[in-house]
Amino acid sequence: MTEPDFEALRARRNFDVRQRLQKLADELGVDPDTMWTSFNPNACYCACASGGPCEHQWDGEPYESDDGAVWSTTCSRCGQTAFSHSLRTAP
């Protein structure tokens, strides 16, 4: 099985996000360059929630919360924790 073209998938995702931000800016009557978002165009492509491909690599640094209640591994590509990934993509 060939690996998905994650660069193309990220490019399509980023294009879609930019279009949605532009639509919102148009509806609000603001310049889209003045809008703030937490979207990271360099983040891993991940479609786990819909059964699609995921480029996370869970071999990064271990993570432990300040209070020690949560520990997880991280993605060596983008730094996301496996814990937060599971919360976002769980059924």
Side-chain angles (χ1 to χ4, degrees), residues 41-70:
N42 298 314
C44 288
Y45 181 84
C46 176
C48 287
S50 61
C54 178
E55 73 177 322
H56 288 297
Q57 296 173 5
W58 303 116
D59 59 356
E61 294 294 318
Y63 166 82
E64 183 175 347
S65 62
D66 291 338
D67 63 2
V70 175

Side-chain angles (χ1 to χ4, degrees), residues 22-88:
Q22 181 64 57
K23 181 179 178 187
L24 179 60
D26 291 345
E27 289 173 4
L28 296 173
V30 299
D31 180 347
D33 292 333
T34 64
M35 296 171 60
W36 288 79
T37 177
S38 62
F39 175 69
N40 177 359
N42 298 314
C44 288
Y45 181 84
C46 176
C48 287
S50 61
C54 178
E55 73 177 322
H56 288 297
Q57 296 173 5
W58 303 116
D59 59 356
E61 294 294 318
Y63 166 82
E64 183 175 347
S65 62
D66 291 338
D67 63 2
V70 175
W71 53 268
S72 182
T73 191
T74 60
C75 172
S76 61
R77 290 194 75 259
C78 71
Q80 183 178 32
T81 64
F83 180 81
S84 63
H85 177 269
S86 295
L87 290 174
R88 186 176 57 82

Side-chain angles (χ1 to χ4, degrees), residues 1-6 9 53-55 57 77:
M1 183 173 176
T2 62
E3 186 164 316
D5 183 350
F6 286 115
L9 290 168
C54 178
E55 73 177 322
Q57 296 173 5
R77 290 194 75 259

Side-chain angles (χ1 to χ4, degrees), residues 5-21:
D5 183 350
F6 286 115
E7 187 171 330
L9 290 168
R10 277 192 312 279
R12 179 64 193 180
R13 175 201 61 198
N14 294 351
F15 177 79
D16 290 344
V17 168
R18 281 192 305 275
Q19 282 192 314
R20 290 180 182 142
L21 288 173

